[in-house]
PDB file of all heavy atoms in Angstrom:
ATOM      1  N   ILE A1228      14.013  36.929  -4.168  1.00 91.00           N
ATOM      2  CA  ILE A1228      15.201  37.524  -3.550  1.00 91.00           C
ATOM      3  C   ILE A1228      14.802  38.690  -2.654  1.00 91.00           C
ATOM      4  O   ILE A1228      15.297  38.845  -1.533  1.00 91.00           O
ATOM      5  CB  ILE A1228      16.196  37.985  -4.635  1.00 91.00           C
ATOM      6  CG1 ILE A1228      16.801  36.772  -5.341  1.00 91.00           C
ATOM      7  CG2 ILE A1228      17.300  38.846  -4.017  1.00 91.00           C
ATOM      8  CD1 ILE A1228      17.663  37.119  -6.535  1.00 91.00           C
ATOM      9  N   ALA A1229      13.880  39.531  -3.132  1.00 88.00           N
ATOM     10  CA  ALA A1229      13.447  40.692  -2.354  1.00 88.00           C
ATOM     11  C   ALA A1229      12.763  40.283  -1.063  1.00 88.00           C
ATOM     12  O   ALA A1229      12.838  40.991  -0.056  1.00 88.00           O
ATOM     13  CB  ALA A1229      12.508  41.557  -3.192  1.00 88.00           C
ATOM     14  N   ARG A1230      12.087  39.127  -1.069  1.00 87.00           N
ATOM     15  CA  ARG A1230      11.395  38.658   0.138  1.00 87.00           C
ATOM     16  C   ARG A1230      12.316  37.924   1.104  1.00 87.00           C
ATOM     17  O   ARG A1230      11.871  37.461   2.151  1.00 87.00           O
ATOM     18  CB  ARG A1230      10.247  37.723  -0.273  1.00 87.00           C
ATOM     19  CG  ARG A1230       9.060  38.424  -0.856  1.00 87.00           C
ATOM     20  CD  ARG A1230       7.811  37.579  -0.766  1.00 87.00           C
ATOM     21  NE  ARG A1230       8.021  36.231  -1.253  1.00 87.00           N
ATOM     22  CZ  ARG A1230       7.230  35.615  -2.152  1.00 87.00           C
ATOM     23  NH1 ARG A1230       6.207  36.258  -2.666  1.00 87.00           N
ATOM     24  NH2 ARG A1230       7.472  34.392  -2.526  1.00 87.00           N
ATOM     25  N   GLY A1231      13.575  37.803   0.750  1.00 86.00           N
ATOM     26  CA  GLY A1231      14.512  37.113   1.625  1.00 86.00           C
ATOM     27  C   GLY A1231      14.508  35.617   1.464  1.00 86.00           C
ATOM     28  O   GLY A1231      14.984  34.895   2.338  1.00 86.00           O
ATOM     29  N   GLU A1232      13.999  35.120   0.323  1.00 88.00           N
ATOM     30  CA  GLU A1232      13.935  33.683   0.066  1.00 88.00           C
ATOM     31  C   GLU A1232      14.963  33.254  -0.967  1.00 88.00           C
ATOM     32  O   GLU A1232      14.824  32.215  -1.610  1.00 88.00           O
ATOM     33  CB  GLU A1232      12.528  33.304  -0.422  1.00 88.00           C
ATOM     34  CG  GLU A1232      11.434  33.662   0.569  1.00 88.00           C
ATOM     35  CD  GLU A1232      10.035  33.482  -0.016  1.00 88.00           C
ATOM     36  OE1 GLU A1232       9.932  33.007  -1.168  1.00 88.00           O
ATOM     37  OE2 GLU A1232       9.058  33.813   0.673  1.00 88.00           O
ATOM     38  N   GLY A1233      15.999  34.079  -1.141  1.00 85.00           N
ATOM     39  CA  GLY A1233      16.978  33.822  -2.187  1.00 85.00           C
ATOM     40  C   GLY A1233      18.001  32.772  -1.808  1.00 85.00           C
ATOM     41  O   GLY A1233      18.097  32.324  -0.661  1.00 85.00           O
ATOM     42  N   SER A1234      18.772  32.362  -2.798  1.00 92.00           N
ATOM     43  CA  SER A1234      19.891  31.442  -2.639  1.00 92.00           C
ATOM     44  C   SER A1234      20.862  31.725  -3.780  1.00 92.00           C
ATOM     45  O   SER A1234      20.525  32.426  -4.739  1.00 92.00           O
ATOM     46  CB  SER A1234      19.425  29.982  -2.695  1.00 92.00           C
ATOM     47  OG  SER A1234      18.899  29.674  -3.980  1.00 92.00           O
ATOM     48  N   THR A1235      22.058  31.204  -3.684  1.00 93.00           N
ATOM     49  CA  THR A1235      23.028  31.410  -4.755  1.00 93.00           C
ATOM     50  C   THR A1235      22.519  30.826  -6.061  1.00 93.00           C
ATOM     51  O   THR A1235      22.640  31.436  -7.129  1.00 93.00           O
ATOM     52  CB  THR A1235      24.375  30.761  -4.386  1.00 93.00           C
ATOM     53  OG1 THR A1235      24.859  31.333  -3.165  1.00 93.00           O
ATOM     54  CG2 THR A1235      25.402  30.986  -5.481  1.00 93.00           C
ATOM     55  N   LYS A1236      21.912  29.640  -5.993  1.00 95.00           N
ATOM     56  CA  LYS A1236      21.361  29.001  -7.194  1.00 95.00           C
ATOM     57  C   LYS A1236      20.262  29.864  -7.812  1.00 95.00           C
ATOM     58  O   LYS A1236      20.212  30.042  -9.033  1.00 95.00           O
ATOM     59  CB  LYS A1236      20.821  27.621  -6.829  1.00 95.00           C
ATOM     60  CG  LYS A1236      20.294  26.829  -8.011  1.00 95.00           C
ATOM     61  CD  LYS A1236      19.834  25.447  -7.563  1.00 95.00           C
ATOM     62  CE  LYS A1236      19.288  24.654  -8.744  1.00 95.00           C
ATOM     63  NZ  LYS A1236      18.835  23.294  -8.308  1.00 95.00           N
ATOM     64  N   LEU A1237      19.381  30.401  -6.965  1.00 95.00           N
ATOM     65  CA  LEU A1237      18.305  31.259  -7.469  1.00 95.00           C
ATOM     66  C   LEU A1237      18.872  32.534  -8.081  1.00 95.00           C
ATOM     67  O   LEU A1237      18.390  33.000  -9.126  1.00 95.00           O
ATOM     68  CB  LEU A1237      17.338  31.606  -6.337  1.00 95.00           C
ATOM     69  CG  LEU A1237      16.207  32.579  -6.713  1.00 95.00           C
ATOM     70  CD1 LEU A1237      15.268  31.930  -7.720  1.00 95.00           C
ATOM     71  CD2 LEU A1237      15.447  33.018  -5.466  1.00 95.00           C
ATOM     72  N   ALA A1238      19.891  33.116  -7.455  1.00 95.00           N
ATOM     73  CA  ALA A1238      20.497  34.344  -7.973  1.00 95.00           C
ATOM     74  C   ALA A1238      21.109  34.100  -9.351  1.00 95.00           C
ATOM     75  O   ALA A1238      20.956  34.921 -10.263  1.00 95.00           O
ATOM     76  CB  ALA A1238      21.558  34.858  -7.007  1.00 95.00           C
ATOM     77  N   ILE A1239      21.788  32.985  -9.525  1.00 96.00           N
ATOM     78  CA  ILE A1239      22.374  32.654 -10.824  1.00 96.00           C
ATOM     79  C   ILE A1239      21.268  32.436 -11.862  1.00 96.00           C
ATOM     80  O   ILE A1239      21.346  32.946 -12.987  1.00 96.00           O
ATOM     81  CB  ILE A1239      23.258  31.404 -10.718  1.00 96.00           C
ATOM     82  CG1 ILE A1239      24.492  31.710  -9.859  1.00 96.00           C
ATOM     83  CG2 ILE A1239      23.673  30.901 -12.095  1.00 96.00           C
ATOM     84  CD1 ILE A1239      25.346  30.490  -9.553  1.00 96.00           C
ATOM     85  N   GLY A1240      20.216  31.706 -11.478  1.00 96.00           N
ATOM     86  CA  GLY A1240      19.104  31.478 -12.390  1.00 96.00           C
ATOM     87  C   GLY A1240      18.408  32.768 -12.785  1.00 96.00           C
ATOM     88  O   GLY A1240      18.049  32.971 -13.957  1.00 96.00           O
ATOM     89  N   THR A1241      18.259  33.673 -11.806  1.00 96.00           N
ATOM     90  CA  THR A1241      17.629  34.971 -12.101  1.00 96.00           C
ATOM     91  C   THR A1241      18.488  35.787 -13.054  1.00 96.00           C
ATOM     92  O   THR A1241      17.986  36.388 -14.006  1.00 96.00           O
ATOM     93  CB  THR A1241      17.400  35.747 -10.798  1.00 96.00           C
ATOM     94  OG1 THR A1241      16.551  34.979  -9.928  1.00 96.00           O
ATOM     95  CG2 THR A1241      16.749  37.095 -11.070  1.00 96.00           C
ATOM     96  N   GLY A1242      19.784  35.803 -12.819  1.00 96.00           N
ATOM     97  CA  GLY A1242      20.685  36.512 -13.713  1.00 96.00           C
ATOM     98  C   GLY A1242      20.637  35.960 -15.129  1.00 96.00           C
ATOM     99  O   GLY A1242      20.606  36.714 -16.107  1.00 96.00           O
ATOM    100  N   LEU A1243      20.605  34.628 -15.254  1.00 96.00           N
ATOM    101  CA  LEU A1243      20.540  34.012 -16.578  1.00 96.00           C
ATOM    102  C   LEU A1243      19.223  34.331 -17.272  1.00 96.00           C
ATOM    103  O   LEU A1243      19.184  34.478 -18.502  1.00 96.00           O
ATOM    104  CB  LEU A1243      20.726  32.498 -16.460  1.00 96.00           C
ATOM    105  CG  LEU A1243      22.128  32.032 -16.061  1.00 96.00           C
ATOM    106  CD1 LEU A1243      22.159  30.522 -15.882  1.00 96.00           C
ATOM    107  CD2 LEU A1243      23.163  32.458 -17.108  1.00 96.00           C
ATOM    108  N   CYS A1244      18.144  34.448 -16.509  1.00 97.00           N
ATOM    109  CA  CYS A1244      16.857  34.839 -17.100  1.00 97.00           C
ATOM    110  C   CYS A1244      16.908  36.277 -17.609  1.00 97.00           C
ATOM    111  O   CYS A1244      16.343  36.587 -18.667  1.00 97.00           O
ATOM    112  CB  CYS A1244      15.732  34.677 -16.078  1.00 97.00           C
ATOM    113  SG  CYS A1244      15.218  32.965 -15.822  1.00 97.00           S
ATOM    114  N   PHE A1245      17.589  37.159 -16.864  1.00 96.00           N
ATOM    115  CA  PHE A1245      17.776  38.531 -17.351  1.00 96.00           C
ATOM    116  C   PHE A1245      18.593  38.529 -18.647  1.00 96.00           C
ATOM    117  O   PHE A1245      18.284  39.265 -19.590  1.00 96.00           O
ATOM    118  CB  PHE A1245      18.486  39.374 -16.294  1.00 96.00           C
ATOM    119  CG  PHE A1245      17.564  40.099 -15.350  1.00 96.00           C
ATOM    120  CD1 PHE A1245      16.907  39.419 -14.339  1.00 96.00           C
ATOM    121  CD2 PHE A1245      17.354  41.456 -15.473  1.00 96.00           C
ATOM    122  CE1 PHE A1245      16.052  40.075 -13.472  1.00 96.00           C
ATOM    123  CE2 PHE A1245      16.507  42.136 -14.609  1.00 96.00           C
ATOM    124  CZ  PHE A1245      15.849  41.441 -13.610  1.00 96.00           C
ATOM    125  N   VAL A1246      19.637  37.709 -18.685  1.00 95.00           N
ATOM    126  CA  VAL A1246      20.466  37.609 -19.885  1.00 95.00           C
ATOM    127  C   VAL A1246      19.638  37.094 -21.059  1.00 95.00           C
ATOM    128  O   VAL A1246      19.668  37.666 -22.161  1.00 95.00           O
ATOM    129  CB  VAL A1246      21.668  36.672 -19.631  1.00 95.00           C
ATOM    130  CG1 VAL A1246      22.423  36.404 -20.932  1.00 95.00           C
ATOM    131  CG2 VAL A1246      22.605  37.268 -18.591  1.00 95.00           C
ATOM    132  N   ALA A1247      18.900  36.010 -20.839  1.00 95.00           N
ATOM    133  CA  ALA A1247      18.101  35.418 -21.907  1.00 95.00           C
ATOM    134  C   ALA A1247      17.034  36.384 -22.406  1.00 95.00           C
ATOM    135  O   ALA A1247      16.770  36.464 -23.607  1.00 95.00           O
ATOM    136  CB  ALA A1247      17.449  34.120 -21.412  1.00 95.00           C
ATOM    137  N   THR A1248      16.430  37.119 -21.476  1.00 95.00           N
ATOM    138  CA  THR A1248      15.428  38.116 -21.880  1.00 95.00           C
ATOM    139  C   THR A1248      16.053  39.176 -22.774  1.00 95.00           C
ATOM    140  O   THR A1248      15.507  39.531 -23.831  1.00 95.00           O
ATOM    141  CB  THR A1248      14.821  38.786 -20.636  1.00 95.00           C
ATOM    142  OG1 THR A1248      14.182  37.792 -19.832  1.00 95.00           O
ATOM    143  CG2 THR A1248      13.796  39.838 -21.036  1.00 95.00           C
ATOM    144  N   SER A1249      17.202  39.681 -22.378  1.00 91.00           N
ATOM    145  CA  SER A1249      17.861  40.748 -23.138  1.00 91.00           C
ATOM    146  C   SER A1249      18.351  40.260 -24.493  1.00 91.00           C
ATOM    147  O   SER A1249      18.269  40.987 -25.490  1.00 91.00           O
ATOM    148  CB  SER A1249      19.041  41.308 -22.335  1.00 91.00           C
ATOM    149  OG  SER A1249      18.610  41.814 -21.085  1.00 91.00           O
ATOM    150  N   LEU A1250      18.855  39.040 -24.549  1.00 90.00           N
ATOM    151  CA  LEU A1250      19.401  38.522 -25.798  1.00 90.00           C
ATOM    152  C   LEU A1250      18.324  37.952 -26.710  1.00 90.00           C
ATOM    153  O   LEU A1250      18.634  37.514 -27.823  1.00 90.00           O
ATOM    154  CB  LEU A1250      20.473  37.467 -25.509  1.00 90.00           C
ATOM    155  CG  LEU A1250      21.709  37.995 -24.784  1.00 90.00           C
ATOM    156  CD1 LEU A1250      22.733  36.892 -24.592  1.00 90.00           C
ATOM    157  CD2 LEU A1250      22.329  39.173 -25.530  1.00 90.00           C
ATOM    158  N   THR A1251      17.088  37.935 -26.250  1.00 91.00           N
ATOM    159  CA  THR A1251      15.966  37.608 -27.123  1.00 91.00           C
ATOM    160  C   THR A1251      15.393  38.878 -27.723  1.00 91.00           C
ATOM    161  O   THR A1251      15.145  38.965 -28.927  1.00 91.00           O
ATOM    162  CB  THR A1251      14.869  36.862 -26.343  1.00 91.00           C
ATOM    163  OG1 THR A1251      15.415  35.657 -25.790  1.00 91.00           O
ATOM    164  CG2 THR A1251      13.706  36.486 -27.248  1.00 91.00           C
TER     165      THR A1251
END
Side-chain angles (χ1 to χ4, degrees):
I1228 291 173
R1230 286 201 311 230
E1232 301 171 4
S1234 65
T1235 301
K1236 183 178 179 180
L1237 176 66
I1239 293 173
T1241 301
L1243 291 176
C1244 284
F1245 269 75
V1246 172
T1248 299
S1249 301
L1250 296 182
T1251 301

